[in-house]
Amino acid sequence: MDWKKGITDLAIRNDPARIRLTVRGRVQGVGFRPAIYRLAREMELAGFVRNTRRGVVIELEGSIASIERFGENLATKLPPLARIDSVDAAELATSGTDGFTVESSEEPGHGEALYPVDTAVCADCLLELRDPDDKRYRYPFINCTNCGPRFTLIEGLPYDRPLTTMREFEMDPFCRAQYLDPADRRFHAEPISCPDCGPRLILLDARGEGIPGEPLSEARRMIEDGAIVAVKGLGGYHLACLATETEVVERLRRRKGRPAKPFAVMFRDLDAIERYCRVDESERRLLLSPESPIVLLRRAGRTGATEPRLPVAVAPRNAYIGVFLPYTPIHHMLMEGFEVLVMTSANFTDEPLISDETELTGILGRIADAALVHNRRISHKCDDSIYFVPAGEVVPIRRARGFVPEPVTLYRCGDAPLLALGGQEKGTFALGSEGKAFLSPHLGDLGDYRSQANYRRELDDFKRLLAIEPEVCINDLHPDYFTSRLAAELACPVTVAVQHHHAHAVSVMAEYGLDEPVIGVTFDGTGFGSDGRLWGGEILLARYADFRRLAHIKYLPLPGGEAAIREPWRMALMHLWNLHGDLLLDRCERAASMFEGLPAAEVLALAQRGINAPLTSSIGRLFDAVAFVLGCGHRVSYEAEAAVALEELAVRHGPTERCYVFGMEEGDVVVIEPAPVFEAILQDLGAGVSASEIASAFHNTVACLIVELAGKLARREACGEIVLSGGVFQNRFLLERLVGNARQEDCRWYQHRLMPPNDGGLSLGQVQIGAARIEKGLI
Ligand code: ZN
Ligand code: FE
């Protein structure tokens, strides 16, 4: 944002003059007002700076030369977390006032101004934390206007201490003086506190009773001895334990009821990460960013036999490890004793994150041997965000801490307040108003009633905080999603159900504000189709308000419904049936041995008779089937486990020239026939090609399908833009193959950068579809 130009363009008439600047962006709760104050004083300008519901208002009075110098200098004086999206400037009559003041916030109310995100502890605070002469030496709750908790403390807007959970602590004179001093780094640092007036740490044992001694060093000692300790973070509890001991990690898996889903690990510093993982420049920047997300990194190269390795149990059959750095003072002090720890969300599988001491009783003694707790209340549960960086592009997998509740600007949106409820397995909602979408944090799998209760609570809270009462509610077409039932219950004046893959495609379109129409390649596990079948391998012609299906993977039965998602062998059976016909179990020797010990004949009979075998065009299920054929196992314990194992196989081999080719049934809607791919895979297996090379070749095959078919359809429909969405685009190996291939095409390719490609991104697409339909008079 060019400030200088904003002020020059104003063509100020008077000298001395008075101007008013209305600034929007991330300008509240980030030390913006003190920065303005200091600069205005330096330039000898009079006036004030004030937080309002519409952003920050600045009035400056003085000579034109001083005002211009203010404009020139501001860009370099902005606090690190501030971000300016727009500035409106106007000239006023001079008032002759003296001095410059920081005015307190307007009355609580609805905020167009962004509300602030949780931020990793800053370098200045870390220095003080380690300085024996500082009053906050080793104080676990040190923060300033540039860092610390925000969203997870907020109970109202605008962002001000009385509207946060820190209102429960009365500032002592020391903190109050800093809080009120515009020249201090802690001026209006709402969570400010010190050892004399702030929250306190306690270490609880398995029965919930206090353990004597210094809590942090006791916790470190217990972890060192192999214990699992719950640690209160910004948006909830983590479970911390030794990442380097297989026995400890496996114990955590047993207790948590989580046999295979990867655990995130926290490293002491970047150096430690680089000893275990490969890190490129954009990954390094992301790890060190104020948002401090979990980043999925490649394990260290195969050549490095001397490099230290984490036990397989941390992330079994996974080519990547989820890695992050300490982001609270407590983490920094905890990590003093360790190079790396497992730090996974404290919950039972599929239940929401634990954030409250009353919820702790459920895990203390059952999962955790002890808990490092404190009395600063968490107002919003908020998981760690997860990112990955395929081919240099930063893509979210989970959008939560550090990003929520910053809104996303919608492409076209009137004033009508909208609510989009998202999907099911990776719950998020979006509230749309005045051209912006406010996204909830990741709310987990909504199959569990505790997650549903948390979803409702968070939705009520967002509506209250933003003072948005939705008039239009948008939900997924799927009749059995929790969110679809909720839509009926909420009884908004208008409720609209939109198709799953349409919402996926529009989610990307909204992020970039693309002109319609685009080709939408939406590849995922499953989403409810307009024809009542389970879609998942779709190429669409997508507009904001509607879409047309251009191509899909051939329909095959999903024998046993949900059971076929948990048991990938069932889909492998369907693909072999598709290839060989009814007598496959008699005629195909390989099939007979492949399904040994599994009820293949019974499941085949179900499919043949069409009993509990809904038709699906899912490409996720094709990945499952190939994974099973290549020996990745017949059962999965978490979503996409088979595809993750297949990718790991492919990564182990690396890129290959080998590639298979899908069949095509041309027509108005192109049907993609997977039989030739299966035939070639079985042939290669028979010829002794390694499973890992076949896995690599299969990724090439899907990449070629996307590039060639989407490219062809783009030419046919005369549009040059292709968007990629759906959980399949979390497959980094596939994306890297795609980048190589896509360069040769004359289309522009877009993938997610603000929202996850998985169903966590649906709510943004839904809200944008709702806005477009209103604009077109369709609602
Ligand atoms: Zn700080
Ligand atoms: Fe999906």
PDB file of all heavy atoms in Angstrom, residues 259-261 317 562-569 621 624 627-628 632-645:
ATOM      1  N   PRO A 259      -4.066 -45.590  15.745  1.00  0.00           N
ATOM      2  CA  PRO A 259      -3.019 -46.531  15.366  1.00  0.00           C
ATOM      3  C   PRO A 259      -2.008 -46.004  14.355  1.00  0.00           C
ATOM      4  O   PRO A 259      -0.850 -46.423  14.382  1.00  0.00           O
ATOM      5  CB  PRO A 259      -3.793 -47.727  14.781  1.00  0.00           C
ATOM      6  CG  PRO A 259      -5.167 -47.239  14.527  1.00  0.00           C
ATOM      7  CD  PRO A 259      -5.415 -46.060  15.417  1.00  0.00           C
ATOM      8  N   ALA A 260      -2.404 -45.121  13.446  1.00  0.00           N
ATOM      9  CA  ALA A 260      -1.482 -44.796  12.359  1.00  0.00           C
ATOM     10  C   ALA A 260      -1.421 -43.326  11.956  1.00  0.00           C
ATOM     11  O   ALA A 260      -0.461 -42.895  11.339  1.00  0.00           O
ATOM     12  CB  ALA A 260      -1.843 -45.629  11.121  1.00  0.00           C
ATOM     13  N   LYS A 261      -2.466 -42.558  12.256  1.00  0.00           N
ATOM     14  CA  LYS A 261      -2.484 -41.172  11.787  1.00  0.00           C
ATOM     15  C   LYS A 261      -1.267 -40.417  12.335  1.00  0.00           C
ATOM     16  O   LYS A 261      -0.958 -40.524  13.518  1.00  0.00           O
ATOM     17  CB  LYS A 261      -3.783 -40.507  12.271  1.00  0.00           C
ATOM     18  CG  LYS A 261      -4.167 -39.291  11.483  1.00  0.00           C
ATOM     19  CD  LYS A 261      -5.523 -38.782  11.931  1.00  0.00           C
ATOM     20  CE  LYS A 261      -5.845 -37.498  11.200  1.00  0.00           C
ATOM     21  NZ  LYS A 261      -7.057 -36.884  11.713  1.00  0.00           N
ATOM     22  N   ARG A 317       4.245 -45.067   7.386  1.00  0.00           N
ATOM     23  CA  ARG A 317       3.918 -45.087   5.960  1.00  0.00           C
ATOM     24  C   ARG A 317       3.561 -43.710   5.442  1.00  0.00           C
ATOM     25  O   ARG A 317       2.564 -43.508   4.756  1.00  0.00           O
ATOM     26  CB  ARG A 317       2.741 -46.030   5.699  1.00  0.00           C
ATOM     27  CG  ARG A 317       3.015 -47.431   6.155  1.00  0.00           C
ATOM     28  CD  ARG A 317       2.006 -48.361   5.594  1.00  0.00           C
ATOM     29  NE  ARG A 317       2.685 -49.378   4.815  1.00  0.00           N
ATOM     30  CZ  ARG A 317       2.093 -50.425   4.299  1.00  0.00           C
ATOM     31  NH1 ARG A 317       0.798 -50.568   4.403  1.00  0.00           N
ATOM     32  NH2 ARG A 317       2.752 -51.307   3.620  1.00  0.00           N
ATOM     33  N   GLU A 562     -19.965 -47.114   3.363  1.00  0.00           N
ATOM     34  CA  GLU A 562     -18.884 -46.650   4.249  1.00  0.00           C
ATOM     35  C   GLU A 562     -17.811 -47.722   4.456  1.00  0.00           C
ATOM     36  O   GLU A 562     -16.620 -47.415   4.558  1.00  0.00           O
ATOM     37  CB  GLU A 562     -19.465 -46.270   5.617  1.00  0.00           C
ATOM     38  CG  GLU A 562     -20.245 -44.972   5.623  1.00  0.00           C
ATOM     39  CD  GLU A 562     -19.352 -43.750   5.485  1.00  0.00           C
ATOM     40  OE1 GLU A 562     -18.359 -43.660   6.231  1.00  0.00           O
ATOM     41  OE2 GLU A 562     -19.632 -42.908   4.609  1.00  0.00           O
ATOM     42  N   ALA A 563     -18.236 -48.987   4.527  1.00  0.00           N
ATOM     43  CA  ALA A 563     -17.285 -50.071   4.781  1.00  0.00           C
ATOM     44  C   ALA A 563     -16.216 -50.113   3.694  1.00  0.00           C
ATOM     45  O   ALA A 563     -15.052 -50.442   3.946  1.00  0.00           O
ATOM     46  CB  ALA A 563     -18.016 -51.410   4.850  1.00  0.00           C
ATOM     47  N   ALA A 564     -16.602 -49.739   2.465  1.00  0.00           N
ATOM     48  CA  ALA A 564     -15.643 -49.777   1.363  1.00  0.00           C
ATOM     49  C   ALA A 564     -14.613 -48.655   1.484  1.00  0.00           C
ATOM     50  O   ALA A 564     -13.545 -48.703   0.877  1.00  0.00           O
ATOM     51  CB  ALA A 564     -16.376 -49.672   0.029  1.00  0.00           C
ATOM     52  N   ILE A 565     -14.948 -47.625   2.261  1.00  0.00           N
ATOM     53  CA  ILE A 565     -13.972 -46.555   2.481  1.00  0.00           C
ATOM     54  C   ILE A 565     -12.940 -47.007   3.517  1.00  0.00           C
ATOM     55  O   ILE A 565     -11.761 -46.725   3.404  1.00  0.00           O
ATOM     56  CB  ILE A 565     -14.697 -45.253   2.917  1.00  0.00           C
ATOM     57  CG1 ILE A 565     -15.636 -44.802   1.781  1.00  0.00           C
ATOM     58  CG2 ILE A 565     -13.703 -44.159   3.274  1.00  0.00           C
ATOM     59  CD1 ILE A 565     -16.534 -43.633   2.118  1.00  0.00           C
ATOM     60  N   ARG A 566     -13.413 -47.783   4.501  1.00  0.00           N
ATOM     61  CA  ARG A 566     -12.477 -48.288   5.519  1.00  0.00           C
ATOM     62  C   ARG A 566     -11.653 -49.475   5.016  1.00  0.00           C
ATOM     63  O   ARG A 566     -10.605 -49.787   5.548  1.00  0.00           O
ATOM     64  CB  ARG A 566     -13.256 -48.714   6.780  1.00  0.00           C
ATOM     65  CG  ARG A 566     -13.818 -47.542   7.577  1.00  0.00           C
ATOM     66  CD  ARG A 566     -14.387 -48.035   8.899  1.00  0.00           C
ATOM     67  NE  ARG A 566     -15.428 -49.036   8.730  1.00  0.00           N
ATOM     68  CZ  ARG A 566     -16.730 -48.757   8.610  1.00  0.00           C
ATOM     69  NH1 ARG A 566     -17.130 -47.504   8.657  1.00  0.00           N
ATOM     70  NH2 ARG A 566     -17.618 -49.718   8.445  1.00  0.00           N
ATOM     71  N   GLU A 567     -12.195 -50.158   3.983  1.00  0.00           N
ATOM     72  CA  GLU A 567     -11.528 -51.368   3.497  1.00  0.00           C
ATOM     73  C   GLU A 567     -11.224 -51.219   2.008  1.00  0.00           C
ATOM     74  O   GLU A 567     -12.024 -51.614   1.146  1.00  0.00           O
ATOM     75  CB  GLU A 567     -12.424 -52.594   3.746  1.00  0.00           C
ATOM     76  CG  GLU A 567     -12.705 -52.799   5.227  1.00  0.00           C
ATOM     77  CD  GLU A 567     -13.668 -53.971   5.475  1.00  0.00           C
ATOM     78  OE1 GLU A 567     -13.879 -54.793   4.554  1.00  0.00           O
ATOM     79  OE2 GLU A 567     -14.205 -54.031   6.590  1.00  0.00           O
ATOM     80  N   PRO A 568     -10.050 -50.692   1.680  1.00  0.00           N
ATOM     81  CA  PRO A 568      -9.706 -50.412   0.282  1.00  0.00           C
ATOM     82  C   PRO A 568      -9.772 -51.648  -0.639  1.00  0.00           C
ATOM     83  O   PRO A 568      -9.962 -51.502  -1.837  1.00  0.00           O
ATOM     84  CB  PRO A 568      -8.274 -49.884   0.367  1.00  0.00           C
ATOM     85  CG  PRO A 568      -8.150 -49.343   1.744  1.00  0.00           C
ATOM     86  CD  PRO A 568      -9.023 -50.213   2.603  1.00  0.00           C
ATOM     87  N   TRP A 569      -9.649 -52.855  -0.071  1.00  0.00           N
ATOM     88  CA  TRP A 569      -9.667 -54.039  -0.926  1.00  0.00           C
ATOM     89  C   TRP A 569     -10.995 -54.152  -1.671  1.00  0.00           C
ATOM     90  O   TRP A 569     -11.064 -54.692  -2.778  1.00  0.00           O
ATOM     91  CB  TRP A 569      -9.398 -55.315  -0.114  1.00  0.00           C
ATOM     92  CG  TRP A 569     -10.504 -55.689   0.854  1.00  0.00           C
ATOM     93  CD1 TRP A 569     -10.620 -55.299   2.141  1.00  0.00           C
ATOM     94  CD2 TRP A 569     -11.628 -56.526   0.575  1.00  0.00           C
ATOM     95  NE1 TRP A 569     -11.757 -55.827   2.701  1.00  0.00           N
ATOM     96  CE2 TRP A 569     -12.392 -56.594   1.770  1.00  0.00           C
ATOM     97  CE3 TRP A 569     -12.065 -57.239  -0.544  1.00  0.00           C
ATOM     98  CZ2 TRP A 569     -13.573 -57.330   1.861  1.00  0.00           C
ATOM     99  CZ3 TRP A 569     -13.242 -57.976  -0.463  1.00  0.00           C
ATOM    100  CH2 TRP A 569     -13.987 -58.015   0.729  1.00  0.00           C
ATOM    101  N   ARG A 621     -11.208 -43.269  -4.282  1.00  0.00           N
ATOM    102  CA  ARG A 621     -11.391 -44.722  -4.161  1.00  0.00           C
ATOM    103  C   ARG A 621     -10.515 -45.480  -5.158  1.00  0.00           C
ATOM    104  O   ARG A 621     -10.118 -46.602  -4.917  1.00  0.00           O
ATOM    105  CB  ARG A 621     -12.867 -45.097  -4.377  1.00  0.00           C
ATOM    106  CG  ARG A 621     -13.836 -44.463  -3.386  1.00  0.00           C
ATOM    107  CD  ARG A 621     -13.712 -45.050  -1.980  1.00  0.00           C
ATOM    108  NE  ARG A 621     -12.677 -44.446  -1.165  1.00  0.00           N
ATOM    109  CZ  ARG A 621     -12.803 -43.293  -0.507  1.00  0.00           C
ATOM    110  NH1 ARG A 621     -13.917 -42.634  -0.536  1.00  0.00           N
ATOM    111  NH2 ARG A 621     -11.796 -42.807   0.190  1.00  0.00           N
ATOM    112  N   ASP A 624      -7.270 -45.718  -3.483  1.00  0.00           N
ATOM    113  CA  ASP A 624      -7.376 -46.801  -2.489  1.00  0.00           C
ATOM    114  C   ASP A 624      -7.129 -48.152  -3.140  1.00  0.00           C
ATOM    115  O   ASP A 624      -6.387 -48.991  -2.635  1.00  0.00           O
ATOM    116  CB  ASP A 624      -8.798 -46.845  -1.889  1.00  0.00           C
ATOM    117  CG  ASP A 624      -9.053 -45.710  -0.911  1.00  0.00           C
ATOM    118  OD1 ASP A 624      -8.144 -44.903  -0.678  1.00  0.00           O
ATOM    119  OD2 ASP A 624     -10.187 -45.641  -0.385  1.00  0.00           O
ATOM    120  N   ALA A 627      -3.614 -48.690  -4.183  1.00  0.00           N
ATOM    121  CA  ALA A 627      -2.798 -48.890  -2.982  1.00  0.00           C
ATOM    122  C   ALA A 627      -2.917 -50.335  -2.490  1.00  0.00           C
ATOM    123  O   ALA A 627      -1.920 -50.976  -2.153  1.00  0.00           O
ATOM    124  CB  ALA A 627      -3.222 -47.918  -1.884  1.00  0.00           C
ATOM    125  N   PHE A 628      -4.141 -50.871  -2.480  1.00  0.00           N
ATOM    126  CA  PHE A 628      -4.325 -52.246  -2.021  1.00  0.00           C
ATOM    127  C   PHE A 628      -3.585 -53.223  -2.930  1.00  0.00           C
ATOM    128  O   PHE A 628      -2.855 -54.106  -2.467  1.00  0.00           O
ATOM    129  CB  PHE A 628      -5.813 -52.607  -1.961  1.00  0.00           C
ATOM    130  CG  PHE A 628      -6.036 -54.080  -1.722  1.00  0.00           C
ATOM    131  CD1 PHE A 628      -5.848 -54.614  -0.452  1.00  0.00           C
ATOM    132  CD2 PHE A 628      -6.392 -54.927  -2.766  1.00  0.00           C
ATOM    133  CE1 PHE A 628      -6.019 -55.976  -0.227  1.00  0.00           C
ATOM    134  CE2 PHE A 628      -6.567 -56.286  -2.549  1.00  0.00           C
ATOM    135  CZ  PHE A 628      -6.378 -56.816  -1.274  1.00  0.00           C
ATOM    136  N   CYS A 632      -0.426 -52.044   0.076  1.00  0.00           N
ATOM    137  CA  CYS A 632      -0.474 -51.066   1.184  1.00  0.00           C
ATOM    138  C   CYS A 632      -1.484 -51.450   2.268  1.00  0.00           C
ATOM    139  O   CYS A 632      -1.755 -50.649   3.166  1.00  0.00           O
ATOM    140  CB  CYS A 632      -0.787 -49.668   0.646  1.00  0.00           C
ATOM    141  SG  CYS A 632       0.499 -49.015  -0.422  1.00  0.00           S
ATOM    142  N   GLY A 633      -2.071 -52.614   2.182  1.00  0.00           N
ATOM    143  CA  GLY A 633      -2.948 -53.053   3.270  1.00  0.00           C
ATOM    144  C   GLY A 633      -4.422 -53.030   2.898  1.00  0.00           C
ATOM    145  O   GLY A 633      -4.833 -52.291   2.018  1.00  0.00           O
ATOM    146  N   HIS A 634      -5.210 -53.844   3.597  1.00  0.00           N
ATOM    147  CA  HIS A 634      -6.609 -53.983   3.201  1.00  0.00           C
ATOM    148  C   HIS A 634      -7.565 -53.152   4.045  1.00  0.00           C
ATOM    149  O   HIS A 634      -8.736 -53.061   3.778  1.00  0.00           O
ATOM    150  CB  HIS A 634      -7.035 -55.455   3.210  1.00  0.00           C
ATOM    151  CG  HIS A 634      -7.056 -56.075   4.575  1.00  0.00           C
ATOM    152  ND1 HIS A 634      -5.929 -56.606   5.156  1.00  0.00           N
ATOM    153  CD2 HIS A 634      -8.056 -56.218   5.477  1.00  0.00           C
ATOM    154  CE1 HIS A 634      -6.239 -57.053   6.362  1.00  0.00           C
ATOM    155  NE2 HIS A 634      -7.518 -56.827   6.587  1.00  0.00           N
ATOM    156  N   ARG A 635      -7.049 -52.547   5.118  1.00  0.00           N
ATOM    157  CA  ARG A 635      -7.887 -51.759   6.020  1.00  0.00           C
ATOM    158  C   ARG A 635      -7.198 -50.450   6.327  1.00  0.00           C
ATOM    159  O   ARG A 635      -5.973 -50.397   6.427  1.00  0.00           O
ATOM    160  CB  ARG A 635      -8.043 -52.515   7.349  1.00  0.00           C
ATOM    161  CG  ARG A 635      -9.431 -52.938   7.689  1.00  0.00           C
ATOM    162  CD  ARG A 635      -9.518 -53.393   9.138  1.00  0.00           C
ATOM    163  NE  ARG A 635     -10.381 -52.476   9.856  1.00  0.00           N
ATOM    164  CZ  ARG A 635     -11.706 -52.518   9.779  1.00  0.00           C
ATOM    165  NH1 ARG A 635     -12.317 -53.436   9.060  1.00  0.00           N
ATOM    166  NH2 ARG A 635     -12.444 -51.635  10.427  1.00  0.00           N
ATOM    167  N   VAL A 636      -7.964 -49.364   6.516  1.00  0.00           N
ATOM    168  CA  VAL A 636      -7.348 -48.104   6.937  1.00  0.00           C
ATOM    169  C   VAL A 636      -7.960 -47.668   8.266  1.00  0.00           C
ATOM    170  O   VAL A 636      -9.085 -48.036   8.596  1.00  0.00           O
ATOM    171  CB  VAL A 636      -7.537 -46.978   5.893  1.00  0.00           C
ATOM    172  CG1 VAL A 636      -6.845 -47.327   4.595  1.00  0.00           C
ATOM    173  CG2 VAL A 636      -9.002 -46.654   5.669  1.00  0.00           C
ATOM    174  N   SER A 637      -7.185 -46.870   9.009  1.00  0.00           N
ATOM    175  CA  SER A 637      -7.678 -46.407  10.314  1.00  0.00           C
ATOM    176  C   SER A 637      -7.998 -44.919  10.285  1.00  0.00           C
ATOM    177  O   SER A 637      -8.564 -44.386  11.208  1.00  0.00           O
ATOM    178  CB  SER A 637      -6.634 -46.688  11.397  1.00  0.00           C
ATOM    179  OG  SER A 637      -5.461 -45.940  11.141  1.00  0.00           O
ATOM    180  N   TYR A 638      -7.592 -44.214   9.224  1.00  0.00           N
ATOM    181  CA  TYR A 638      -7.975 -42.806   9.105  1.00  0.00           C
ATOM    182  C   TYR A 638      -8.186 -42.484   7.632  1.00  0.00           C
ATOM    183  O   TYR A 638      -7.707 -43.210   6.750  1.00  0.00           O
ATOM    184  CB  TYR A 638      -6.934 -41.874   9.745  1.00  0.00           C
ATOM    185  CG  TYR A 638      -5.584 -41.797   9.063  1.00  0.00           C
ATOM    186  CD1 TYR A 638      -5.325 -40.829   8.085  1.00  0.00           C
ATOM    187  CD2 TYR A 638      -4.555 -42.681   9.388  1.00  0.00           C
ATOM    188  CE1 TYR A 638      -4.086 -40.752   7.471  1.00  0.00           C
ATOM    189  CE2 TYR A 638      -3.315 -42.606   8.783  1.00  0.00           C
ATOM    190  CZ  TYR A 638      -3.085 -41.649   7.822  1.00  0.00           C
ATOM    191  OH  TYR A 638      -1.858 -41.572   7.205  1.00  0.00           O
ATOM    192  N   GLU A 639      -8.896 -41.400   7.382  1.00  0.00           N
ATOM    193  CA  GLU A 639      -9.233 -40.986   6.030  1.00  0.00           C
ATOM    194  C   GLU A 639      -7.970 -40.819   5.190  1.00  0.00           C
ATOM    195  O   GLU A 639      -6.991 -40.250   5.644  1.00  0.00           O
ATOM    196  CB  GLU A 639      -9.980 -39.648   6.125  1.00  0.00           C
ATOM    197  CG  GLU A 639     -10.689 -39.234   4.870  1.00  0.00           C
ATOM    198  CD  GLU A 639     -10.644 -37.724   4.668  1.00  0.00           C
ATOM    199  OE1 GLU A 639     -10.202 -36.994   5.567  1.00  0.00           O
ATOM    200  OE2 GLU A 639     -11.040 -37.306   3.572  1.00  0.00           O
ATOM    201  N   ALA A 640      -7.990 -41.350   3.963  1.00  0.00           N
ATOM    202  CA  ALA A 640      -6.893 -41.182   3.010  1.00  0.00           C
ATOM    203  C   ALA A 640      -5.607 -41.913   3.388  1.00  0.00           C
ATOM    204  O   ALA A 640      -4.569 -41.705   2.783  1.00  0.00           O
ATOM    205  CB  ALA A 640      -6.583 -39.706   2.761  1.00  0.00           C
ATOM    206  N   GLU A 641      -5.668 -42.804   4.379  1.00  0.00           N
ATOM    207  CA  GLU A 641      -4.450 -43.523   4.781  1.00  0.00           C
ATOM    208  C   GLU A 641      -3.852 -44.315   3.611  1.00  0.00           C
ATOM    209  O   GLU A 641      -2.635 -44.347   3.434  1.00  0.00           O
ATOM    210  CB  GLU A 641      -4.770 -44.476   5.954  1.00  0.00           C
ATOM    211  CG  GLU A 641      -3.549 -45.219   6.476  1.00  0.00           C
ATOM    212  CD  GLU A 641      -3.851 -46.100   7.688  1.00  0.00           C
ATOM    213  OE1 GLU A 641      -4.949 -45.950   8.278  1.00  0.00           O
ATOM    214  OE2 GLU A 641      -3.000 -46.934   8.033  1.00  0.00           O
ATOM    215  N   ALA A 642      -4.712 -44.937   2.806  1.00  0.00           N
ATOM    216  CA  ALA A 642      -4.209 -45.744   1.687  1.00  0.00           C
ATOM    217  C   ALA A 642      -3.513 -44.861   0.656  1.00  0.00           C
ATOM    218  O   ALA A 642      -2.438 -45.196   0.149  1.00  0.00           O
ATOM    219  CB  ALA A 642      -5.362 -46.515   1.034  1.00  0.00           C
ATOM    220  N   ALA A 643      -4.108 -43.708   0.371  1.00  0.00           N
ATOM    221  CA  ALA A 643      -3.508 -42.800  -0.613  1.00  0.00           C
ATOM    222  C   ALA A 643      -2.175 -42.248  -0.096  1.00  0.00           C
ATOM    223  O   ALA A 643      -1.228 -42.070  -0.865  1.00  0.00           O
ATOM    224  CB  ALA A 643      -4.466 -41.656  -0.931  1.00  0.00           C
ATOM    225  N   VAL A 644      -2.118 -41.992   1.212  1.00  0.00           N
ATOM    226  CA  VAL A 644      -0.876 -41.503   1.816  1.00  0.00           C
ATOM    227  C   VAL A 644       0.219 -42.567   1.695  1.00  0.00           C
ATOM    228  O   VAL A 644       1.368 -42.270   1.359  1.00  0.00           O
ATOM    229  CB  VAL A 644      -1.114 -41.112   3.295  1.00  0.00           C
ATOM    230  CG1 VAL A 644       0.199 -40.939   4.051  1.00  0.00           C
ATOM    231  CG2 VAL A 644      -1.942 -39.825   3.376  1.00  0.00           C
ATOM    232  N   ALA A 645      -0.155 -43.833   1.928  1.00  0.00           N
ATOM    233  CA  ALA A 645       0.813 -44.925   1.815  1.00  0.00           C
ATOM    234  C   ALA A 645       1.257 -45.098   0.362  1.00  0.00           C
ATOM    235  O   ALA A 645       2.428 -45.373   0.087  1.00  0.00           O
ATOM    236  CB  ALA A 645       0.204 -46.219   2.350  1.00  0.00           C
TER     237      ALA A 645
END
